[in-house]
Amino acid sequence: MNILNIEHVSKIYGDKTIFDDISFGIQQGDKIGIIGINGTGKTTFLKIMAGIEEPDEGQVVRQNGLRISFLPQHPVFPEGATVLSYVAGEKKGEDWIPETEAKMVLNKLGIQNHEEEISHLSGGQKKRAALAAVLVNPADILILDEPTNHLDNKMAEWLEDYLNRFKGTVIMVTHDRYFLDRVTNKILEISHGKVYGYEAKYSRFLEMKAEREEMELASERKRQSILRIEQEWAKRGCRARSTKQRARLERLEAMKNASAPVRDQNVEIDSVETRMGKKTIELHHISKSYGEKTCIRDFDYIILKNQKLGIIGPNGCGKSTLLKIIAGQTEPDEGSVEIGETVKIGYFSQEIEEMNTSRRVIDYIKDVAEYIPTKDGPVSASKLLEQFLFDASMQYAPIEKLSGGEKKRLYLLKVLASAPNVLLLDEITNDIDIPTLTVLEDYLNSFSGIVVAVSHDRYFLDNLADRIFAFEGDGRLVQYEGGYTDYLEAKKRREKEEGAFIESVKNGVKEKTEEKDSVKTWKQNRPQKLKFSYKEQKEFETIDGDIASLEERIASLDEEIMANATNSGKLNELTKEKTEAEALLEEKMDRWVYLNDLAEKIEAQKQG
């Protein structure tokens, strides 16, 4: 039974038809992914289903009492709200969200300070706070616009699991192809004002789409063949004197007026890289900290010609900082960066550069050059824009008329038009549609230069990277060969071997020769020689005392709570302090386990 029906819906913006008489139904438990190139109306489609926008024609029929929770692409927040008050809600009632659930979801999405004002958060943190509010809000349908933007890999995997366990219906726009494959059971494709439904996950959808397009082409070939025969018949002088002849002429006219199947255009990426000499980019023992937080610690690496590097790690670990250091926009605290004389860097930053949105699209590209070199010779800015799906009407329109994804595509074109031989790409897959991503991946794989890409898009990294650098805590970058899937397998293998080695040392179950073999295997797979950092060594020396002090403080607070049982104000203050002390103690105990395990590994390494 359908819980939401779209009935003959049409929507027009200016002279552009977004939807043309579309109809379909959504059932309880559907997990639907919406796909289409930027500018086709995916966000508008979600807003119409959520009841935020009205169609020009047709209607949306929702089941009585249906609860819909909507995550917009660009959330708006109440002024002065804290993270927790926004996510959990301030009014207690039938649908009130327990704070514990809200805090759990926020923690999973990397937001630890629940009392901070939302206005103080970064753009990515704001989007994750809005996602948390949607997830904990009781709903029958979750409508999510780009939920995976600003999520690191661990968060994306958690969200996959959450949505798979969700009993209601999920409708989402996302460009994360692994996410689509693991969560959805239906795909809706928006193309040229029509919506095509596929009972399939993303990988099967690709096959079904190709089959549909082939059938449409076969039907069109048949129509053209019949049309040619009928036109020849009409030329022979038919006077339409009989009813049959009139009907045949009417069918001929209908055939002439029928439209041929329209295929989506794909971005055409073709640019010439500047020749690169022997010297590329050399990073010599660079380190960077902000306050007490170390982002990058003693990173030493020479990037090879034609190398494709993927940079991964949790949000806020220092990935963007590393790209800015390479690009020369940020200076390291220690170490140095040497750039070859022939190196020409194209830097695609996570935040789109400031655009004068009142300027015309074509003028934005002409700032680079009137003519751009390509493999087939110089191409005008106008022609290059056409290859990036900006037709003549869009080229002379102001930038403010573009969608978020179209602005990103325009920004990418400007970066490529400068003919770089090194591409630094910071979260380039956010807001770029899947067809464009596919073309971009093909281009980058054939790019005869260096690519360094920060990305949470696992599919993109698998298709692009031949080496992964992972931020694994305390500013350390660990090297893995291959793409993202190779990284996962290597990391699991290394952790398993390290765990087996430590277990064998603890239990003394292996012979000395076996221990030496295990040590050798472990050393080959470890990222670097195990040792305490300066900070860890100091922490290890004092953590026992810190734990003892916290335990004493909690015992003292218990006594004070008992003594102030009738003083509600003092009791609340003491209870809050005890809760904070217990949380800190739990954190210290986790840290104590880690440091002692590391100390045992270091000692075992010395003995081996």
Side-chain angles (χ1 to χ4, degrees), residues 270-385:
D270 180 21
S271 66
V272 172
E273 308 90 43
T274 304
R275 188 190 65 82
M276 187 184 296
K278 289 183 179 180
K279 188 169 183 177
T280 58
I281 298 173
E282 300 180 4
L283 308 174
H284 297 298
H285 301 284
I286 63 169
S287 295
K288 184 67 180 179
S289 299
Y290 291 99
E292 295 183 357
K293 182 179 179 181
T294 300
C295 293
I296 302 167
R297 183 186 297 278
D298 193 28
F299 183 51
D300 190 78
Y301 189 72
I302 297 174
I303 302 177
L304 305 177
K305 275 188 178 182
N306 305 324
Q307 196 162 47
K308 309 294 189 289
L309 300 179
I311 311 294
I312 65 173
N315 287 327
C317 67
K319 302 185 298 297
S320 296
T321 299
L322 177 60
L323 287 197
K324 288 177 181 177
I325 289 173
I326 297 173
Q329 296 188 4
T330 299
E331 290 293 323
D333 297 334
E334 298 176 11
S336 62
V337 180
E338 294 184 20
I339 306 290
E341 290 183 2
T342 59
V343 167
K344 188 173 184 181
I345 293 175
Y347 176 45
F348 184 98
S349 66
Q350 187 170 354
E351 300 298 328
I352 296 180
E353 65 176 29
E354 194 67 33
M355 290 179 172
N356 182 350
T357 56
S358 63
R359 296 190 71 203
R360 297 182 306 179
V361 169
I362 193 166
D363 294 330
Y364 179 76
I365 297 302
K366 283 184 176 180
D367 285 346
V368 178
E370 290 275 352
Y371 287 87
I372 292 90
T374 71
K375 293 171 184 175
D376 297 323
V379 170
S380 68
S382 178
K383 179 64 176 177
L384 203 63
L385 281 163

Side-chain angles (χ1 to χ4, degrees), residues 25 72 161 226 379 523 545:
D161 182 60
I226 295 172
V379 170
K523 282 185 176 181

